[in-house]
PDB file of all heavy atoms in Angstrom:
ATOM      1  N   PHE V   1     220.210  64.300  97.859  1.00  0.00           N
ATOM      2  CA  PHE V   1     221.526  64.395  98.491  1.00  0.00           C
ATOM      3  C   PHE V   1     221.469  63.866  99.924  1.00  0.00           C
ATOM      4  O   PHE V   1     222.357  63.165 100.373  1.00  0.00           O
ATOM      5  CB  PHE V   1     221.994  65.856  98.476  1.00  0.00           C
ATOM      6  CG  PHE V   1     223.351  66.061  99.072  1.00  0.00           C
ATOM      7  CD1 PHE V   1     224.490  65.755  98.353  1.00  0.00           C
ATOM      8  CD2 PHE V   1     223.485  66.578 100.351  1.00  0.00           C
ATOM      9  CE1 PHE V   1     225.742  65.954  98.896  1.00  0.00           C
ATOM     10  CE2 PHE V   1     224.736  66.781 100.897  1.00  0.00           C
ATOM     11  CZ  PHE V   1     225.861  66.471 100.159  1.00  0.00           C
ATOM     12  N   MET V   2     220.402  64.192 100.631  1.00  0.00           N
ATOM     13  CA  MET V   2     220.272  63.775 102.031  1.00  0.00           C
ATOM     14  C   MET V   2     220.040  62.274 102.164  1.00  0.00           C
ATOM     15  O   MET V   2     220.318  61.690 103.195  1.00  0.00           O
ATOM     16  CB  MET V   2     219.127  64.538 102.715  1.00  0.00           C
ATOM     17  CG  MET V   2     219.315  66.050 102.740  1.00  0.00           C
ATOM     18  SD  MET V   2     220.817  66.543 103.592  1.00  0.00           S
ATOM     19  CE  MET V   2     220.276  66.409 105.272  1.00  0.00           C
ATOM     20  N   GLN V   3     219.551  61.614 101.118  1.00  0.00           N
ATOM     21  CA  GLN V   3     219.274  60.184 101.176  1.00  0.00           C
ATOM     22  C   GLN V   3     220.476  59.324 100.807  1.00  0.00           C
ATOM     23  O   GLN V   3     220.440  58.122 100.971  1.00  0.00           O
ATOM     24  CB  GLN V   3     218.105  59.832 100.229  1.00  0.00           C
ATOM     25  CG  GLN V   3     216.801  60.528 100.580  1.00  0.00           C
ATOM     26  CD  GLN V   3     216.370  60.245 102.014  1.00  0.00           C
ATOM     27  OE1 GLN V   3     216.377  59.109 102.453  1.00  0.00           O
ATOM     28  NE2 GLN V   3     216.013  61.298 102.742  1.00  0.00           N
ATOM     29  N   GLN V   4     221.533  59.949 100.320  1.00  0.00           N
ATOM     30  CA  GLN V   4     222.720  59.193  99.912  1.00  0.00           C
ATOM     31  C   GLN V   4     223.422  58.615 101.132  1.00  0.00           C
ATOM     32  O   GLN V   4     223.621  59.321 102.114  1.00  0.00           O
ATOM     33  CB  GLN V   4     223.703  60.112  99.177  1.00  0.00           C
ATOM     34  CG  GLN V   4     223.111  60.790  97.977  1.00  0.00           C
ATOM     35  CD  GLN V   4     223.425  60.068  96.711  1.00  0.00           C
ATOM     36  OE1 GLN V   4     224.349  59.291  96.655  1.00  0.00           O
ATOM     37  NE2 GLN V   4     222.653  60.330  95.690  1.00  0.00           N
ATOM     38  N   PRO V   5     223.849  57.347 101.097  1.00  0.00           N
ATOM     39  CA  PRO V   5     224.572  56.780 102.234  1.00  0.00           C
ATOM     40  C   PRO V   5     225.981  57.355 102.357  1.00  0.00           C
ATOM     41  O   PRO V   5     226.528  57.454 103.424  1.00  0.00           O
ATOM     42  CB  PRO V   5     224.633  55.286 101.915  1.00  0.00           C
ATOM     43  CG  PRO V   5     224.438  55.197 100.446  1.00  0.00           C
ATOM     44  CD  PRO V   5     223.618  56.393 100.045  1.00  0.00           C
ATOM     45  N   TRP V   6     226.582  57.770 101.261  1.00  0.00           N
ATOM     46  CA  TRP V   6     227.914  58.339 101.272  1.00  0.00           C
ATOM     47  C   TRP V   6     227.776  59.850 101.283  1.00  0.00           C
ATOM     48  O   TRP V   6     227.044  60.420 100.485  1.00  0.00           O
ATOM     49  CB  TRP V   6     228.660  57.872 100.028  1.00  0.00           C
ATOM     50  CG  TRP V   6     230.089  58.285 100.030  1.00  0.00           C
ATOM     51  CD1 TRP V   6     231.113  57.651 100.661  1.00  0.00           C
ATOM     52  CD2 TRP V   6     230.647  59.417  99.396  1.00  0.00           C
ATOM     53  NE1 TRP V   6     232.284  58.320 100.461  1.00  0.00           N
ATOM     54  CE2 TRP V   6     232.019  59.415  99.680  1.00  0.00           C
ATOM     55  CE3 TRP V   6     230.134  60.436  98.628  1.00  0.00           C
ATOM     56  CZ2 TRP V   6     232.880  60.392  99.215  1.00  0.00           C
ATOM     57  CZ3 TRP V   6     230.984  61.406  98.159  1.00  0.00           C
ATOM     58  CH2 TRP V   6     232.345  61.375  98.454  1.00  0.00           C
ATOM     59  N   THR V   7     228.447  60.531 102.208  1.00  0.00           N
ATOM     60  CA  THR V   7     228.314  61.976 102.315  1.00  0.00           C
ATOM     61  C   THR V   7     229.628  62.653 101.998  1.00  0.00           C
ATOM     62  O   THR V   7     230.658  62.006 101.840  1.00  0.00           O
ATOM     63  CB  THR V   7     227.893  62.371 103.743  1.00  0.00           C
ATOM     64  OG1 THR V   7     229.008  62.136 104.603  1.00  0.00           O
ATOM     65  CG2 THR V   7     226.683  61.599 104.210  1.00  0.00           C
ATOM     66  N   GLY V   8     229.583  63.958 101.957  1.00  0.00           N
ATOM     67  CA  GLY V   8     230.788  64.752 101.751  1.00  0.00           C
ATOM     68  C   GLY V   8     231.733  64.688 102.935  1.00  0.00           C
ATOM     69  O   GLY V   8     232.833  65.224 102.880  1.00  0.00           O
ATOM     70  N   PHE V   9     231.321  64.069 104.025  1.00  0.00           N
ATOM     71  CA  PHE V   9     232.156  63.969 105.211  1.00  0.00           C
ATOM     72  C   PHE V   9     232.830  62.603 105.330  1.00  0.00           C
ATOM     73  O   PHE V   9     233.216  62.177 106.407  1.00  0.00           O
ATOM     74  CB  PHE V   9     231.342  64.278 106.472  1.00  0.00           C
ATOM     75  CG  PHE V   9     231.051  65.749 106.613  1.00  0.00           C
ATOM     76  CD1 PHE V   9     229.933  66.309 106.029  1.00  0.00           C
ATOM     77  CD2 PHE V   9     231.928  66.577 107.297  1.00  0.00           C
ATOM     78  CE1 PHE V   9     229.680  67.666 106.135  1.00  0.00           C
ATOM     79  CE2 PHE V   9     231.693  67.928 107.408  1.00  0.00           C
ATOM     80  CZ  PHE V   9     230.562  68.482 106.817  1.00  0.00           C
ATOM     81  N   THR V  10     232.961  61.909 104.215  1.00  0.00           N
ATOM     82  CA  THR V  10     233.596  60.598 104.186  1.00  0.00           C
ATOM     83  C   THR V  10     234.699  60.580 103.134  1.00  0.00           C
ATOM     84  O   THR V  10     234.534  61.110 102.045  1.00  0.00           O
ATOM     85  CB  THR V  10     232.555  59.503 103.844  1.00  0.00           C
ATOM     86  OG1 THR V  10     231.522  59.534 104.804  1.00  0.00           O
ATOM     87  CG2 THR V  10     233.187  58.127 103.843  1.00  0.00           C
ATOM     88  N   VAL V  11     235.818  59.946 103.500  1.00  0.00           N
ATOM     89  CA  VAL V  11     236.927  59.751 102.567  1.00  0.00           C
ATOM     90  C   VAL V  11     237.208  58.257 102.521  1.00  0.00           C
ATOM     91  O   VAL V  11     237.173  57.577 103.544  1.00  0.00           O
ATOM     92  CB  VAL V  11     238.192  60.525 103.031  1.00  0.00           C
ATOM     93  CG1 VAL V  11     239.399  60.142 102.216  1.00  0.00           C
ATOM     94  CG2 VAL V  11     237.954  62.021 102.953  1.00  0.00           C
ATOM     95  N   GLN V  12     237.449  57.754 101.320  1.00  0.00           N
ATOM     96  CA  GLN V  12     237.798  56.346 101.134  1.00  0.00           C
ATOM     97  C   GLN V  12     239.249  56.262 100.682  1.00  0.00           C
ATOM     98  O   GLN V  12     239.672  57.026  99.808  1.00  0.00           O
ATOM     99  CB  GLN V  12     236.880  55.705 100.097  1.00  0.00           C
ATOM    100  CG  GLN V  12     235.423  55.716 100.518  1.00  0.00           C
ATOM    101  CD  GLN V  12     234.500  55.326  99.380  1.00  0.00           C
ATOM    102  OE1 GLN V  12     234.748  55.634  98.222  1.00  0.00           O
ATOM    103  NE2 GLN V  12     233.426  54.641  99.722  1.00  0.00           N
ATOM    104  N   ILE V  13     239.995  55.329 101.297  1.00  0.00           N
ATOM    105  CA  ILE V  13     241.421  55.174 101.002  1.00  0.00           C
ATOM    106  C   ILE V  13     241.712  53.690 100.811  1.00  0.00           C
ATOM    107  O   ILE V  13     241.403  52.887 101.689  1.00  0.00           O
ATOM    108  CB  ILE V  13     242.292  55.704 102.158  1.00  0.00           C
ATOM    109  CG1 ILE V  13     241.968  57.161 102.461  1.00  0.00           C
ATOM    110  CG2 ILE V  13     243.787  55.513 101.847  1.00  0.00           C
ATOM    111  CD1 ILE V  13     242.580  57.683 103.759  1.00  0.00           C
ATOM    112  N   SER V  14     242.306  53.335  99.675  1.00  0.00           N
ATOM    113  CA  SER V  14     242.704  51.934  99.476  1.00  0.00           C
ATOM    114  C   SER V  14     244.226  51.846  99.451  1.00  0.00           C
ATOM    115  O   SER V  14     244.916  52.783  99.061  1.00  0.00           O
ATOM    116  CB  SER V  14     242.109  51.353  98.191  1.00  0.00           C
ATOM    117  OG  SER V  14     242.683  51.959  97.059  1.00  0.00           O
ATOM    118  N   PHE V  15     244.712  50.702  99.896  1.00  0.00           N
ATOM    119  CA  PHE V  15     246.145  50.434  99.910  1.00  0.00           C
ATOM    120  C   PHE V  15     246.524  49.617  98.683  1.00  0.00           C
ATOM    121  O   PHE V  15     245.855  48.642  98.352  1.00  0.00           O
ATOM    122  CB  PHE V  15     246.535  49.634 101.161  1.00  0.00           C
ATOM    123  CG  PHE V  15     246.332  50.382 102.445  1.00  0.00           C
ATOM    124  CD1 PHE V  15     245.205  50.169 103.214  1.00  0.00           C
ATOM    125  CD2 PHE V  15     247.273  51.301 102.887  1.00  0.00           C
ATOM    126  CE1 PHE V  15     245.020  50.849 104.409  1.00  0.00           C
ATOM    127  CE2 PHE V  15     247.091  51.987 104.081  1.00  0.00           C
ATOM    128  CZ  PHE V  15     245.961  51.756 104.836  1.00  0.00           C
ATOM    129  N   VAL V  16     247.572  50.016  97.989  1.00  0.00           N
ATOM    130  CA  VAL V  16     248.218  49.284  96.900  1.00  0.00           C
ATOM    131  C   VAL V  16     247.375  49.207  95.620  1.00  0.00           C
ATOM    132  O   VAL V  16     247.872  49.445  94.534  1.00  0.00           O
ATOM    133  CB  VAL V  16     248.652  47.861  97.341  1.00  0.00           C
ATOM    134  CG1 VAL V  16     249.411  47.144  96.226  1.00  0.00           C
ATOM    135  CG2 VAL V  16     249.495  47.900  98.610  1.00  0.00           C
ATOM    136  N   LYS V  17     246.108  48.866  95.707  1.00  0.00           N
ATOM    137  CA  LYS V  17     245.236  48.686  94.537  1.00  0.00           C
ATOM    138  C   LYS V  17     244.244  49.832  94.412  1.00  0.00           C
ATOM    139  O   LYS V  17     243.589  50.209  95.380  1.00  0.00           O
ATOM    140  CB  LYS V  17     244.457  47.369  94.636  1.00  0.00           C
ATOM    141  CG  LYS V  17     245.334  46.135  94.774  1.00  0.00           C
ATOM    142  CD  LYS V  17     246.106  45.866  93.512  1.00  0.00           C
ATOM    143  CE  LYS V  17     246.910  44.576  93.633  1.00  0.00           C
ATOM    144  NZ  LYS V  17     247.711  44.320  92.466  1.00  0.00           N
ATOM    145  N   GLY V  18     244.108  50.361  93.180  1.00  0.00           N
ATOM    146  CA  GLY V  18     243.177  51.448  92.930  1.00  0.00           C
ATOM    147  C   GLY V  18     241.833  50.952  92.429  1.00  0.00           C
ATOM    148  O   GLY V  18     241.647  49.764  92.181  1.00  0.00           O
ATOM    149  N   TRP V  19     240.895  51.879  92.277  1.00  0.00           N
ATOM    150  CA  TRP V  19     239.572  51.547  91.760  1.00  0.00           C
ATOM    151  C   TRP V  19     239.030  52.763  91.010  1.00  0.00           C
ATOM    152  O   TRP V  19     239.602  53.840  91.058  1.00  0.00           O
ATOM    153  CB  TRP V  19     238.634  51.134  92.904  1.00  0.00           C
ATOM    154  CG  TRP V  19     238.021  52.268  93.658  1.00  0.00           C
ATOM    155  CD1 TRP V  19     236.767  52.794  93.477  1.00  0.00           C
ATOM    156  CD2 TRP V  19     238.613  53.051  94.701  1.00  0.00           C
ATOM    157  NE1 TRP V  19     236.559  53.832  94.347  1.00  0.00           N
ATOM    158  CE2 TRP V  19     237.661  54.008  95.111  1.00  0.00           C
ATOM    159  CE3 TRP V  19     239.849  53.047  95.337  1.00  0.00           C
ATOM    160  CZ2 TRP V  19     237.922  54.945  96.112  1.00  0.00           C
ATOM    161  CZ3 TRP V  19     240.100  53.970  96.332  1.00  0.00           C
ATOM    162  CH2 TRP V  19     239.151  54.892  96.717  1.00  0.00           C
ATOM    163  N   GLY V  20     237.948  52.573  90.309  1.00  0.00           N
ATOM    164  CA  GLY V  20     237.314  53.681  89.594  1.00  0.00           C
ATOM    165  C   GLY V  20     237.436  53.547  88.093  1.00  0.00           C
ATOM    166  O   GLY V  20     237.740  52.473  87.569  1.00  0.00           O
ATOM    167  N   GLN V  21     237.216  54.657  87.408  1.00  0.00           N
ATOM    168  CA  GLN V  21     237.157  54.683  85.948  1.00  0.00           C
ATOM    169  C   GLN V  21     238.416  54.154  85.269  1.00  0.00           C
ATOM    170  O   GLN V  21     238.344  53.565  84.209  1.00  0.00           O
ATOM    171  CB  GLN V  21     236.900  56.114  85.461  1.00  0.00           C
ATOM    172  CG  GLN V  21     235.570  56.668  85.872  1.00  0.00           C
ATOM    173  CD  GLN V  21     235.438  58.136  85.486  1.00  0.00           C
ATOM    174  OE1 GLN V  21     236.423  58.836  85.271  1.00  0.00           O
ATOM    175  NE2 GLN V  21     234.200  58.592  85.397  1.00  0.00           N
ATOM    176  N   CYS V  22     239.571  54.366  85.867  1.00  0.00           N
ATOM    177  CA  CYS V  22     240.841  53.986  85.235  1.00  0.00           C
ATOM    178  C   CYS V  22     241.327  52.591  85.626  1.00  0.00           C
ATOM    179  O   CYS V  22     242.438  52.210  85.261  1.00  0.00           O
ATOM    180  CB  CYS V  22     241.916  55.008  85.589  1.00  0.00           C
ATOM    181  SG  CYS V  22     241.520  56.675  85.046  1.00  0.00           S
ATOM    182  N   TYR V  23     240.517  51.849  86.365  1.00  0.00           N
ATOM    183  CA  TYR V  23     240.956  50.555  86.893  1.00  0.00           C
ATOM    184  C   TYR V  23     239.929  49.471  86.591  1.00  0.00           C
ATOM    185  O   TYR V  23     238.768  49.752  86.326  1.00  0.00           O
ATOM    186  CB  TYR V  23     241.169  50.653  88.421  1.00  0.00           C
ATOM    187  CG  TYR V  23     242.241  51.644  88.774  1.00  0.00           C
ATOM    188  CD1 TYR V  23     241.933  52.980  89.017  1.00  0.00           C
ATOM    189  CD2 TYR V  23     243.577  51.262  88.834  1.00  0.00           C
ATOM    190  CE1 TYR V  23     242.917  53.901  89.322  1.00  0.00           C
ATOM    191  CE2 TYR V  23     244.562  52.177  89.140  1.00  0.00           C
ATOM    192  CZ  TYR V  23     244.233  53.492  89.379  1.00  0.00           C
ATOM    193  OH  TYR V  23     245.210  54.395  89.666  1.00  0.00           O
ATOM    194  N   THR V  24     240.386  48.234  86.666  1.00  0.00           N
ATOM    195  CA  THR V  24     239.457  47.122  86.460  1.00  0.00           C
ATOM    196  C   THR V  24     238.467  47.018  87.623  1.00  0.00           C
ATOM    197  O   THR V  24     237.350  46.551  87.435  1.00  0.00           O
ATOM    198  CB  THR V  24     240.203  45.778  86.303  1.00  0.00           C
ATOM    199  OG1 THR V  24     241.012  45.564  87.457  1.00  0.00           O
ATOM    200  CG2 THR V  24     241.059  45.778  85.052  1.00  0.00           C
ATOM    201  N   ARG V  25     238.874  47.441  88.811  1.00  0.00           N
ATOM    202  CA  ARG V  25     237.966  47.481  89.963  1.00  0.00           C
ATOM    203  C   ARG V  25     237.153  48.772  89.880  1.00  0.00           C
ATOM    204  O   ARG V  25     237.703  49.854  90.009  1.00  0.00           O
ATOM    205  CB  ARG V  25     238.756  47.479  91.278  1.00  0.00           C
ATOM    206  CG  ARG V  25     239.502  46.220  91.539  1.00  0.00           C
ATOM    207  CD  ARG V  25     240.438  46.411  92.750  1.00  0.00           C
ATOM    208  NE  ARG V  25     241.285  45.249  92.903  1.00  0.00           N
ATOM    209  CZ  ARG V  25     242.379  45.032  92.202  1.00  0.00           C
ATOM    210  NH1 ARG V  25     242.782  45.907  91.306  1.00  0.00           N
ATOM    211  NH2 ARG V  25     243.092  43.941  92.376  1.00  0.00           N
ATOM    212  N   GLN V  26     235.869  48.661  89.692  1.00  0.00           N
ATOM    213  CA  GLN V  26     235.038  49.848  89.566  1.00  0.00           C
ATOM    214  C   GLN V  26     234.625  50.424  90.922  1.00  0.00           C
ATOM    215  O   GLN V  26     234.352  51.606  91.042  1.00  0.00           O
ATOM    216  CB  GLN V  26     233.798  49.549  88.725  1.00  0.00           C
ATOM    217  CG  GLN V  26     234.130  49.288  87.269  1.00  0.00           C
ATOM    218  CD  GLN V  26     234.792  50.481  86.614  1.00  0.00           C
ATOM    219  OE1 GLN V  26     234.221  51.558  86.530  1.00  0.00           O
ATOM    220  NE2 GLN V  26     236.037  50.301  86.156  1.00  0.00           N
ATOM    221  N   PHE V  27     234.583  49.577  91.945  1.00  0.00           N
ATOM    222  CA  PHE V  27     234.109  50.001  93.260  1.00  0.00           C
ATOM    223  C   PHE V  27     235.166  49.713  94.312  1.00  0.00           C
ATOM    224  O   PHE V  27     235.895  48.722  94.208  1.00  0.00           O
ATOM    225  CB  PHE V  27     232.810  49.269  93.616  1.00  0.00           C
ATOM    226  CG  PHE V  27     231.751  49.434  92.576  1.00  0.00           C
ATOM    227  CD1 PHE V  27     231.501  48.427  91.651  1.00  0.00           C
ATOM    228  CD2 PHE V  27     231.021  50.609  92.484  1.00  0.00           C
ATOM    229  CE1 PHE V  27     230.541  48.580  90.668  1.00  0.00           C
ATOM    230  CE2 PHE V  27     230.059  50.775  91.499  1.00  0.00           C
ATOM    231  CZ  PHE V  27     229.817  49.753  90.587  1.00  0.00           C
ATOM    232  N   ILE V  28     235.211  50.536  95.338  1.00  0.00           N
ATOM    233  CA  ILE V  28     236.204  50.325  96.390  1.00  0.00           C
ATOM    234  C   ILE V  28     235.998  48.997  97.099  1.00  0.00           C
ATOM    235  O   ILE V  28     236.944  48.392  97.574  1.00  0.00           O
ATOM    236  CB  ILE V  28     236.236  51.494  97.401  1.00  0.00           C
ATOM    237  CG1 ILE V  28     237.520  51.378  98.251  1.00  0.00           C
ATOM    238  CG2 ILE V  28     234.976  51.542  98.239  1.00  0.00           C
ATOM    239  CD1 ILE V  28     237.884  52.604  99.016  1.00  0.00           C
ATOM    240  N   SER V  29     234.769  48.512  97.126  1.00  0.00           N
ATOM    241  CA  SER V  29     234.504  47.225  97.794  1.00  0.00           C
ATOM    242  C   SER V  29     235.150  46.048  97.054  1.00  0.00           C
ATOM    243  O   SER V  29     235.154  44.928  97.550  1.00  0.00           O
ATOM    244  CB  SER V  29     233.005  46.997  97.953  1.00  0.00           C
ATOM    245  OG  SER V  29     232.374  47.044  96.701  1.00  0.00           O
ATOM    246  N   SER V  30     235.728  46.302  95.882  1.00  0.00           N
ATOM    247  CA  SER V  30     236.485  45.277  95.162  1.00  0.00           C
ATOM    248  C   SER V  30     237.970  45.328  95.513  1.00  0.00           C
ATOM    249  O   SER V  30     238.729  44.463  95.099  1.00  0.00           O
ATOM    250  CB  SER V  30     236.324  45.465  93.652  1.00  0.00           C
ATOM    251  OG  SER V  30     234.983  45.347  93.286  1.00  0.00           O
ATOM    252  N   CYS V  31     238.380  46.358  96.256  1.00  0.00           N
ATOM    253  CA  CYS V  31     239.779  46.483  96.665  1.00  0.00           C
ATOM    254  C   CYS V  31     240.055  45.552  97.842  1.00  0.00           C
ATOM    255  O   CYS V  31     239.206  45.404  98.728  1.00  0.00           O
ATOM    256  CB  CYS V  31     240.100  47.922  97.060  1.00  0.00           C
ATOM    257  SG  CYS V  31     240.099  49.054  95.662  1.00  0.00           S
ATOM    258  N   PRO V  32     241.241  44.958  97.868  1.00  0.00           N
ATOM    259  CA  PRO V  32     241.564  44.002  98.933  1.00  0.00           C
ATOM    260  C   PRO V  32     241.561  44.622 100.339  1.00  0.00           C
ATOM    261  O   PRO V  32     241.016  44.053 101.263  1.00  0.00           O
ATOM    262  CB  PRO V  32     242.957  43.499  98.574  1.00  0.00           C
ATOM    263  CG  PRO V  32     243.158  43.847  97.145  1.00  0.00           C
ATOM    264  CD  PRO V  32     242.289  45.029  96.861  1.00  0.00           C
ATOM    265  N   CYS V  33     242.180  45.803 100.500  1.00  0.00           N
ATOM    266  CA  CYS V  33     242.316  46.437 101.814  1.00  0.00           C
ATOM    267  C   CYS V  33     242.064  47.939 101.684  1.00  0.00           C
ATOM    268  O   CYS V  33     242.741  48.606 100.904  1.00  0.00           O
ATOM    269  CB  CYS V  33     243.726  46.230 102.360  1.00  0.00           C
ATOM    270  SG  CYS V  33     244.196  44.490 102.526  1.00  0.00           S
TER     271      CYS V  33
END
């Protein structure tokens, strides 16, 4: 848990386009903005 770059103190927010299991974009880094 301590070695993970993403922590419980981070929130990711994308505009207009979603990502994840229900979307063609699997990762937020594929979102435009």
Side-chain angles (χ1 to χ4, degrees):
F1 181 78
M2 299 301 280
Q3 299 304 313
Q4 303 263 340
W6 186 83
T7 71
F9 286 88
T10 302
V11 170
Q12 298 169 325
I13 303 169
S14 68
F15 295 99
V16 184
K17 303 291 184 183
W19 81 98
Q21 295 174 339
C22 300
Y23 298 91
T24 57
R25 294 171 187 81
Q26 292 299 299
F27 305 101
I28 194 165
S29 57
S30 299
C31 291
C33 302

